[in-house]
Amino acid sequence: MTISVESLASIAVDIQNGIRGRDRFTRLIESIHGALKCDATALLRYENQQFRPLATAGLAPDVMGRRFSLDAHPRLEAIARAGDVVRFPADSDLPDPYDGLIPEQKELHVHACVGMPLFSGQTLIGALTLDGMNATQFDEYSDEELRLLASLTGGALNNALLLEQLEKTAATFTPPARRPDENEEVDIIGESAPLLNLKKEIGMVAPSDLSVLIMGETGTGKELVAQALHRQSARAANPLIYLNCAALPESVAESELFGHVKGAFTGAIHDRPGKFELADKGTLFLDEIGELPLSLQAKLLRVLQYGDLQRVGEDKALTVDVRIIAATNLDMRLAVTEGRFRADLYHRLSVFPLFVPALRERGDDIVLLAGYFCEKCRVKFGLQSVALSPAARIRLEAANWPGNVRELEHAIHRAAIVAQADNRSGDVILLPQHFSFDGVHAAKSESVTTAAAADIYDMGLHDATRQFQREYIQRVYEASGRVWAEAARRLGVDPGNLHRQAQKLGLK
């Protein structure tokens, strides 16, 4: 059997129809997945020595949040270095990155694996991977056919990347080239509407030199937002200096910010530059700015207004060129009202405020982040694979996450350690019982996840999700006084859509 002309034509049409939008590659991958009868298909983008999934079919939803570094995945490294179609033997001893990540498969390990590097000229830009549970699944397709498929897919990916670059440079700003030896920071993972809006706002304000105040609950990722602002600014080639204002004793805070000269105070045995000097021509990130002592707020305001400062113990003024990014989890308006923060400094810092959404407001991002942290655990603990069971995904999505992304990361790490103790094979599947929560948080998580009972992880993802939806909607309906309009309001959905969903689930 060969790849039919009709299939290739359909794939080519999907490529042209899918260039724009968040789902531009979904139809392409679904077409390839169906035409070649794969059990798992993935389109990956290559950058910074790692592959990032752009679209998948047949794989667990958390795969989209994972990042596959070459040094941790020898199969993907082989694909990246090959320059041509790679067919891995069924008995290859190289671990497959998708082991345990193909839902509803009794066999844990993938048997058939084909990888195709994707190029723009001589530059590697991505990879297309085909996987199957049957060891001979792709033997019928010739290398020439697969090369043609890779060429079509590579062209689509290259066009999309060019469009992306054009959109970024449509504004009057282009970030300078980064130093080749500089490590890239972790990207902000998520595709929910609140997070996409945040990313859009970051893109708007980053090229400017405006001060930015990042606000949000603890653990939401405010430092990652600060890093993204710096990376996308004209100052990207210069330092990003970090200072945690909450960890500063008031006695040394001024010295930390502005520096000191030898002999300025007991223990000052030599001149020392402050964070402002270190950040000259770059960015200074003041974390937990709401905790800065009032005595220093006036001095900070002067630097922001005039750009000059004085080291402790020195009369000479120094001039610095620093962009300020600040972050806080406090209600700054309340702090100003109560006299704990200067109003003039607040207004100076919040020229462009950014609000980082809480994890519970980000929907499917929870699963993507869980996948990302599962991959980090796999590498950190030297495991063959770390996968989430469908029931575990349901439980994570139902939790309240008062500690947000940081709490989710810690929960995944704890669960991986517990699961590893239960299974020494190196293939770890995280089940609901591997997770534990404290206090009210646990009560809420348990109350909405009857679907995560002991036997639910034997269900398929569709059935488990349907059962959870039925129970969750029923509980909200009861809590709303058995009024569907109120239940719709609490769930944040259209009442008509809720009625139709309730009928499908057998609730009406």
Side-chain angles (χ1 to χ4, degrees):
M1 182 185 297
T2 61
I3 306 175
S4 68
V5 174
E6 292 80 5
S7 294
L8 288 173
S10 174
I11 291 169
V13 170
D14 286 335
I15 286 173
Q16 295 306 316
N17 289 338
I19 286 179
R20 291 185 179 275
R22 287 175 55 190
D23 60 347
R24 55 180 169 250
F25 297 117
T26 301
R27 288 180 59 188
L28 166 63
I29 287 303
E30 288 176 348
S31 294
I32 295 173
H33 186 73
L36 277 65
K37 298 180 175 58
C38 305
D39 286 300
T41 313
L43 175 63
L44 310 171
R45 178 177 179 177
Y46 178 76
E47 53 187 353
N48 305 319
Q49 295 295 303
Q50 67 178 9
F51 283 107
R52 173 168 62 89
L54 294 176
T56 67
L59 289 167
D62 61 89
V63 171
M64 289 296 294
R66 297 183 182 235
R67 301 295 181 261
F68 301 106
S69 60
L70 294 192
D71 56 359
H73 291 282
R75 287 203 188 209
L76 293 178
E77 182 181 24
I79 294 171
R81 299 185 184 283
D84 199 4
V85 175
V86 181
R87 297 177 185 264
F88 294 95
D91 59 352
S92 172
D93 58 358
L94 296 179
D96 194 292
Y98 307 135
D99 281 345
L101 299 178
I102 302 179
E104 301 181 13
Q105 290 289 349
K106 299 299 182 184
E107 294 271 2
L108 183 64
H109 296 288
V110 178
H111 292 295
C113 180
V114 173
M116 290 159 274
L118 308 177
F119 294 93
S120 172
Q122 300 298 313
T123 302
L124 179 68
I125 59 173
L128 176 65
T129 62
L130 315 175
D131 289 274
M133 305 307 294
N134 183 341
T136 62
Q137 199 152 335
F138 306 117
D139 290 356
E140 55 198 316
Y141 305 119
S142 69
D143 284 357
E144 283 300 321
E145 290 174 310
L146 295 176
R147 288 189 190 107
L148 177 57
L149 183 62
S151 179
L152 286 171
T153 307
L157 177 57
N158 188 49
N159 288 341
L161 296 180
L162 289 173
L163 283 172
E164 181 181 288
Q165 186 61 33
L166 286 172
E167 289 169 359
K168 286 182 177 180
T169 55
T172 58
F173 166 75
T174 302
R178 296 178 62 80
R179 294 191 294 269
D181 60 338
E182 188 170 2
N183 294 327
E184 291 293 330
E185 302 291 347
V186 178
D187 57 348
I188 302 174
I189 293 172
E191 295 296 332
S192 64
L195 199 70
L196 289 176
N197 183 64
L198 174 62
K199 290 180 179 180
K200 180 180 177 181
E201 291 180 333
I202 291 171
M204 288 190 297
V205 71
S208 73
D209 259 354
L210 295 177
S211 297
V212 178
L213 179 61
I214 307 168
M215 291 176 281
E217 296 178 11
T218 182
T220 51
K222 296 185 288 295
E223 185 174 349
L224 289 183
V225 173
Q227 292 170 355
L229 286 167
H230 179 69
R231 283 201 308 272
Q232 297 177 40
S233 75
R235 299 172 180 266
N238 296 311
L240 169 64
I241 302 299
Y242 171 86
L243 180 64
N244 186 343
C245 299
L248 277 179
E250 189 167 352
S251 58
V252 300
E254 185 174 2
S255 174
E256 282 293 319
L257 279 169
F258 310 122
H260 63 254
V261 296
K262 181 179 178 180
F265 51 83
T266 303
I269 59 175
H270 53 72
D271 291 356
R272 184 174 183 271
K275 300 298 185 184
F276 269 96
E277 285 183 76
L278 295 175
D280 191 28
K281 302 297 190 298
T283 304
L284 177 58
F285 175 43
L286 299 175
D287 199 6
E288 304 295 349
I289 186 67
E291 306 293 340
L292 192 69
L294 274 169
S295 59
L296 282 178
Q297 291 179 23
K299 295 180 179 180
L300 176 59
L301 179 63
R302 177 175 177 80
V303 178
L304 295 182
Q305 287 177 328
Y306 303 110
D308 59 0
L309 58 89
Q310 287 179 314
R311 289 181 176 179
V312 177
E314 186 175 55
D315 295 330
K316 183 178 67 175
L318 300 173
T319 301
V320 292
D321 174 17
V322 175
R323 183 190 191 176
I324 297 294
I325 298 174
T328 182
N329 58 12
L330 300 180
D331 183 340
M332 293 298 284
R333 293 181 184 274
L334 180 62
V336 169
T337 302
E338 294 178 347
R340 293 182 287 114
F341 202 86
R342 293 178 61 109
D344 46 5
L345 179 57
Y346 166 67
H347 293 300
R348 187 77 184 187
L349 290 171
S350 61
V351 176
F352 198 105
L354 291 177
F355 297 89
V356 185
L359 184 57
R360 59 185 170 275
E361 300 169 357
R362 292 174 52 182
D364 292 342
D365 286 355
I366 293 173
V367 173
L368 300 186
L369 286 161
Y372 174 77
F373 294 132
C374 281
E375 178 60 21
K376 286 185 68 175
C377 285
R378 190 199 69 80
V379 175
K380 182 176 182 178
F381 300 143
L383 300 171
Q384 183 83 7
S385 66
V386 177
L388 281 171
S389 71
R393 287 197 293 270
I394 291 171
R395 177 163 188 178
L396 294 182
E397 289 181 312
N400 190 39
W401 300 117
N404 292 290
V405 179
R406 185 182 297 118
E407 183 186 2
L408 173 61
E409 179 179 13
H410 294 166
I412 294 290
H413 276 73
R414 286 195 302 269
I417 292 172
V418 173
Q420 185 182 10
D422 292 342
N423 182 1
R424 299 292 184 178
S425 69
D427 294 313
V428 169
I429 298 179
L430 304 186
L431 305 174
Q433 58 264 36
H434 295 141
F435 293 88
S436 62
F437 302 99
D438 297 327
V440 176
H441 184 201
K444 177 172 182 180
S445 180
E446 292 294 343
S447 70
V448 296
T449 54
T450 306
D455 59 346
I456 193 174
Y457 51 83
D458 290 329
M459 291 183 179
L461 178 60
H462 174 77
D463 292 338
T465 303
R466 182 181 175 86
Q467 181 173 331
F468 169 75
Q469 288 179 326
R470 183 187 299 112
E471 295 191 5
Y472 187 68
I473 291 174
Q474 180 67 40
R475 289 177 182 274
V476 175
Y477 174 60
E478 297 292 342
S480 304
R482 301 179 67 82
V483 177
W484 285 108
E486 175 62 15
R489 187 191 67 78
R490 292 191 180 196
L491 291 166
V493 299
D494 179 77
N497 290 339
L498 179 59
H499 280 292
R500 286 187 287 273
Q501 184 70 7
Q503 288 173 338
K504 288 181 182 178
L505 295 171
L507 293 174
K508 297 187 67 177

